[in-house]
Amino acid sequence: MNARVNFFGNPLAAKVLKHINSAGRAVTDSGLPAVTQELVKIRASQINGCGFCTDMHTKDAAAAGETSVRLNLVAAWREATVFTEAERAALELTEQGTRIADAAGGVSDEAWADAAKHYDEDQLVALISLIAVINAYNRINVVNQQPAGDYQPGQFG
């Protein structure tokens, strides 16, 4: 499989990615736990079928010390006992925020209330922003058919 265009080498794409990356850095530097950030990126990427981002974020999470058990269970988090209540709330918000088109009402009040029990306002803003940013990356890579498997942890800085 080859990418449709060299997105990472295109000057216009570089301008677009610069802004998306800036938003991503704001979230990275927020008070939202780094482990939660990786779980959110992995789950949204799985839902969207983005192999490139799933590859990247599972490898980055593993390099940061995440266990293979937790990484292997992200897709089945509801049945898994290895996630905290806060992580579960973030994963639910991620699923509903990623599957907006599948749910006529968007994100449920229940999912929002559960997340709000575990995260303060700044963390909630970071969580919403992260869901939006990873979905943007997923869409770029899925539309472009960006190949997965060759990512090296920390490759993009």
Side-chain angles (χ1 to χ4, degrees):
M1 183 166 147
N2 293 313
R4 289 177 165 153
V5 299
N6 180 1
F7 207 87
F8 298 116
N10 180 283
L12 177 58
K15 290 178 185 178
V16 171
L17 291 175
K18 176 183 175 184
H19 294 288
I20 297 173
N21 289 338
S22 291
R25 274 192 300 283
V27 173
T28 298
D29 297 340
S30 74
L32 187 63
V35 169
T36 301
Q37 291 184 41
E38 287 303 323
L39 295 174
V40 165
K41 290 184 268 189
I42 292 164
R43 186 65 190 125
S45 299
Q46 290 171 334
I47 291 167
N48 289 322
C50 184
F52 184 82
C53 289
T54 301
D55 181 43
M56 175 191 299
H57 297 297
T58 55
K59 287 177 178 175
D60 282 346
E66 186 58 82
T67 68
S68 60
V69 170
R70 284 172 44 96
L71 290 174
N72 291 333
L73 289 172
V74 171
W77 65 268
R78 283 183 179 81
E79 294 80 27
T81 60
V82 296
F83 300 104
T84 67
E85 289 303 313
E87 290 167 342
R88 296 169 71 74
L91 288 165
E92 179 66 33
L93 195 65
T94 300
E95 287 196 3
Q96 289 190 26
T98 299
R99 292 182 164 141
I100 291 173
D102 297 341
V107 174
S108 72
D109 290 339
E110 181 181 321
W112 179 258
D114 194 27
K117 286 190 305 192
H118 300 284
Y119 301 101
D120 65 27
E121 186 171 303
D122 284 348
Q123 291 172 321
L124 289 167
V125 168
L127 191 53
I128 293 167
S129 301
L130 180 59
I131 293 165
V133 167
I134 192 59
N135 273 279
Y137 281 123
N138 291 164
R139 279 147 179 76
I140 288 168
N141 289 313
V142 169
V143 171
N144 194 41
Q145 293 185 348
Q146 194 66 40
D150 294 331
Y151 177 79
Q152 298 298 313
Q155 178 176 326
F156 295 117

